[in-house]
Amino acid sequence: MSTIDKDAFAEAPPPEAKTATIGWLMTVLALAFVLFQTYTAGFGQFPPLVQRSVHVGLSIGLVYLGVAAVADNIARRWLMVVLAVLVMVACGYLVVEDERITNEIAVEIRPHELVLGVALLALILDSARRSTGWILPIMVLGMLAYTLFGNMLSGNWGHPGFSLDFMMEQLYLSTEGLWGTVTGLSASLIAIFIIFGCFLLATGASDTFMKVALIVSGRSPGGAAKVANVSSAMFGMINGAAVANVATVGNFTIPMMKRLGYRPAFAGAVEATASSGGQITPPVMGAGAFIMAELLRMPYLAVAAAAVIPSFLFYVCIWASIDVEARREDMKPVDKADIPKWRDVLNFREAFPLAATILVMAGAMFTGRSAGLAAFLAIVTNISLYMLLGPWDRQAVLDRLRRLLEGAKMGARNVISLVSLLVCAQIILSLIGFTGIGIKLSELILGVGSSQGMALTVMLVMLVALVLGMGMPTTAAYLLAAAVCIPPMIALGLPALSAHFFVFYGALLSALTPPVCTAVYTAAVITRTDWWPIAVESMKLAVMKFVLPFYFIFRPEILLSGSTTDIIRVLIVGVIASLLFAVATGGFYRRPVSLPLRLVIGAIALSTIDPGWATDILALATLIGLWVWHRMPSMARA
């Protein structure tokens, strides 16, 4: 090594300082990202290509800076920094060239644009791999290969073939490829609602939710498990992410359940199942609901309203199943000393900011403001009240500012973990339409439906959604299944809303269904037990969630599509079915229920999928008979 080299290394800061510099840069970019998303939600979006490229560039760039911050050697650290810069350059280039790309009738890709496009595509796939593994990137690579080399296939599955230049023109230089509808939703709606949820939690909503859950359910049998059910529902209304719910709420509820004598597998299953309901629970249902509203061309509020009864029935089934388990195992309620008083929750300083924030958001949406503007107004309300109503000594103000900073960083972190996955889904959707393979797959499903009937068709669609959901984020699984499965379902005469909800729930079930069940895995880590028993218990607790998709098809009134009488009827029948499923899977109602009787009860509950009066009356009679049978000792002994 030369003298100059030695001096250069001697003067260079140590690796820790470089890591700290990267961390500081990440904080600055994360704040810039949050400010960009918040500003455009409140004051209007930039042109589509600019809005989406800035959104993706900052997100993927932050992913690589995050890898650089924890890199174990200097070479890897600098490589990650270079890749972060390359992503932002590739996206920033589109900001500069937006006018040319948008206004030219036929944009021809230039050599340097081809290089930037291919590099950006590769880095997006690598970012997705780092987030959730290889499944989604492999699907993208498969579709890219099919696009480039599909002309080598003979028969119905072949196509004329497309050059690399032409494919990259569509993917990189248009709003139909990388920058299509899904990326647009991420940049305009999904990001701001995730940021809103993180600010809400950072300013104390998590404490309030937990206190309310303890007060509402802590004193009843199985109180700790019911606390997990209620608190996870409230958390899910805000963040809509099953794994995040388990990781957040589960660190409190699972140890509490174990301390009170709950079986570890049951404790983990309660949290995993309850947390998986976040994406179906209004008012904020996660990214999938926003995308569904866009695909259906209907207001988001209409989608959220349609989700009310199904989400209610889902949690009723969990609550009843917990009650059955609690009475069978003689579980203890939460200690009175651990249950707060209502005055601890309803004090002005704690309750008013949360209530005002939610009312502002709901009021804005109900008065016709866009969802993005509603989230912006809610964020401004939340932050303003949080700062104004706290103590005004120097340390208290600094603490509040620090929590807001953490909320912003958490919001950026939660968004960037999702962006590469949504862009990958957008790429697949673009190529499905580009190559025509989506039409061919839809025709295949339509052929099955025409020859074998609706029941087999929906079973096939459910299987497709479940398989796609394994190891893949729910939103991506829903999008891909929707592209292939919903057109033939609509062609067979199903309402569009029912078809979309069916596929959406099918994708959601993967969080609990083996072999790849991310919510269960997370609960197993916290519980410190094997994941398989948790998965089995979770599917028992969530049995209504497996049945609800078929209600959407055969009893669409559950989605508020019908007369008031029919909607009330399906709500009552749904509650009855939820209670029967709880008894059938738990094997207990005041006293043990025999296995043959459990099978009969489960079959009767399942029969309520049929919209006829006979099955409804049978289910009601069964519940009444069960209630009478187990409250009359002489009859029970007989």
Side-chain angles (χ1 to χ4, degrees):
M1 181 181 292
S2 68
T3 304
I4 296 176
D5 289 334
K6 289 180 181 179
D7 292 341
F9 271 80
E11 293 173 0
E16 293 78 7
K18 291 183 179 180
T19 303
T21 301
I22 293 172
W24 177 84
L25 179 60
M26 287 180 63
T27 299
V28 171
L29 287 178
L31 288 176
F33 178 78
V34 170
L35 287 172
F36 170 77
Q37 296 295 159
T38 306
Y39 174 83
T40 54
F43 298 98
Q45 307 284 316
F46 289 102
L49 200 58
V50 174
Q51 179 78 21
R52 299 168 192 183
S53 59
V54 171
H55 173 76
V56 173
L58 287 174
S59 297
I60 308 299
L62 279 165
V63 169
Y64 282 103
L65 287 177
V67 177
V70 298
D72 53 5
N73 62 73
I74 294 176
R76 178 175 170 77
R77 183 178 302 135
W78 279 110
L79 173 61
M80 294 300 108
V81 171
V82 169
L83 294 180
V85 172
L86 179 56
V87 167
M88 288 186 276
V89 168
C91 292
Y93 176 82
L94 297 175
V95 176
V96 176
E97 293 291 314
D98 172 61
E99 188 174 347
R100 175 180 73 86
I101 295 170
T102 303
N103 293 335
E104 284 189 12
I105 297 175
V107 180
E108 291 188 9
I109 196 165
R110 299 167 179 173
H112 65 281
E113 292 172 340
L114 180 62
V115 172
L116 288 174
V118 171
L120 179 61
L121 181 59
L123 292 172
I124 288 171
L125 295 182
D126 180 59
S127 176
R129 175 190 65 82
R130 295 174 187 276
S131 297
T132 56
W134 278 103
I135 294 179
L136 193 55
I138 286 174
M139 293 182 68
V140 175
L141 290 171
M143 282 304 303
L144 290 170
Y146 178 71
T147 303
L148 292 173
F149 307 112
N151 58 322
M152 298 181 182
L153 298 175
S154 58
N156 189 45
W157 297 100
H159 61 70
F162 304 97
S163 67
L164 177 63
D165 285 7
F166 188 74
M167 183 182 74
M168 291 310 302
E169 283 176 10
Q170 301 302 310
L171 289 179
Y172 182 54
L173 297 181
S174 80
T175 53
E176 303 301 322
L178 288 170
W179 319 110
T181 301
V182 179
T183 307
L185 283 171
S186 178
S188 60
L189 278 180
I190 295 170
I192 192 62
F193 270 91
I194 291 175
I195 291 167
F196 162 65
C198 290
F199 273 127
L200 204 58
L201 295 178
T203 55
S206 56
D207 295 335
T208 303
F209 288 160
M210 193 60 68
K211 288 176 183 177
V212 171
L214 283 165
I215 294 171
V216 169
S217 54
R219 294 181 176 86
S220 61
K226 290 174 180 174
V227 168
N229 189 28
V230 174
S231 58
S232 294
M234 290 189 290
F235 270 91
M237 293 177 189
I238 302 302
N239 66 17
V243 174
N245 267 10
V246 177
T248 305
V249 185
N251 276 303
F252 173 79
T253 57
I254 290 175
M256 180 171 63
M257 284 187 274
K258 290 175 67 177
R259 188 173 65 249
L260 293 173
Y262 293 60
R263 291 180 292 116
F266 182 77
V270 167
E271 186 53 56
T273 308
S275 292
S276 73
Q279 288 171 302
I280 63 171
T281 307
V284 182
M285 300 163 57
F290 292 109
I291 292 172
M292 187 191 300
E294 180 71 17
L295 295 177
L296 286 168
R297 296 288 189 269
M298 63 189 301
Y300 171 75
L301 280 177
V303 173
V308 169
I309 294 178
S311 61
F312 171 73
L313 294 179
F314 172 67
Y315 282 108
V316 165
C317 188
I318 299 175
W319 181 284
S321 298
I322 292 170
D323 196 75
V324 167
E325 176 81 5
R327 295 179 187 278
R328 187 184 68 214
E329 301 295 332
D330 194 24
M331 294 177 180
K332 299 177 181 178
V334 178
D335 292 339
K336 289 184 179 179
D338 294 330
I339 300 176
K341 307 295 183 184
W342 276 114
R343 63 175 177 269
D344 299 328
V345 179
L346 298 181
N347 65 80
F348 181 80
R349 181 173 292 175
E350 184 166 332
F352 178 70
L354 177 61
T357 298
I358 294 174
L359 286 173
V360 165
M361 184 178 73
M365 294 180 74
F366 278 112
T367 53
R369 272 69 173 182
S370 69
L373 179 59
F376 168 80
L377 294 174
I379 289 173
V380 172
T381 302
N382 177 244
I383 293 176
S384 301
L385 292 176
Y386 178 67
M387 291 301 299
L388 289 172
L389 296 180
W392 278 95
D393 60 279
R394 182 174 179 276
Q395 188 58 49
V397 171
L398 289 176
D399 287 342
R400 294 203 297 279
L401 289 173
R402 192 175 297 111
R403 292 196 69 173
L404 289 176
L405 176 61
E406 290 303 315
K409 290 164 66 175
M410 179 170 58
R413 184 167 58 247
N414 289 353
V415 174
I416 66 175
S417 66
L418 187 64
V419 169
S420 59
L421 310 177
L422 292 176
V423 177
C424 282
Q426 174 62 53
I427 294 168
I428 295 173
L429 291 175
S430 298
L431 295 177
I432 283 175
F434 190 48
T435 59
I437 192 174
I439 297 174
K440 297 165 187 175
L441 291 170
S442 296
E443 288 174 349
L444 180 63
I445 295 174
L446 184 60
V448 172
S450 300
S451 60
Q452 303 298 325
M454 182 65 72
L456 188 60
T457 301
V458 295
M459 290 296 292
L460 178 60
V461 170
M462 176 61 71
L463 180 62
V464 170
L466 266 174
V467 171
L468 285 175
M470 292 180 180
M472 194 185 298
T474 299
T475 304
Y478 160 63
L479 280 166
L480 300 182
V484 173
C485 299
I486 287 178
M489 293 176 76
I490 293 175
L492 289 171
L494 289 175
L497 186 64
S498 296
H500 275 273
F501 263 90
F502 185 91
V503 172
F504 185 51
Y505 266 60
L508 284 169
L509 291 172
S510 63
L512 301 175
T513 309
V516 184
C517 35
T518 50
V520 169
Y521 292 160
T522 307
V525 171
I526 299 172
T527 311
R528 297 181 181 177
T529 189
D530 185 48
W531 67 271
W532 178 255
I534 297 177
V536 173
E537 293 285 349
S538 295
M539 288 188 289
K540 288 165 60 178
L541 290 170
V543 62
M544 196 63 188
K545 196 173 185 179
F546 287 85
V547 174
L548 281 169
F550 298 95
Y551 269 70
F552 303 151
I553 301 300
F554 299 105
R555 308 193 74 149
E557 300 84 11
I558 199 171
L559 299 174
L560 307 184
S561 300
S563 67
T564 303
T565 303
D566 289 336
I567 292 169
I568 294 173
R569 175 188 165 193
V570 79
L571 172 60
I572 294 171
V573 171
V575 171
I576 293 170
S578 298
L579 298 177
L580 291 177
F581 276 128
V583 174
T585 56
F588 190 86
Y589 184 75
R590 299 288 175 177
R591 51 179 57 86
V593 179
S594 65
L595 180 60
L597 184 55
R598 290 169 63 184
L599 293 174
V600 171
I601 292 170
I604 291 172
L606 188 63
S607 72
T608 58
I609 293 172
D610 185 284
W613 276 101
T615 53
D616 292 356
I617 293 171
L618 179 60
L620 176 61
T622 302
L623 185 64
I624 293 173
L626 192 65
W627 184 85
V628 172
W629 179 269
H630 285 273
R631 275 171 168 73
M632 298 182 67
S634 59
M635 293 180 66
R637 284 195 298 271

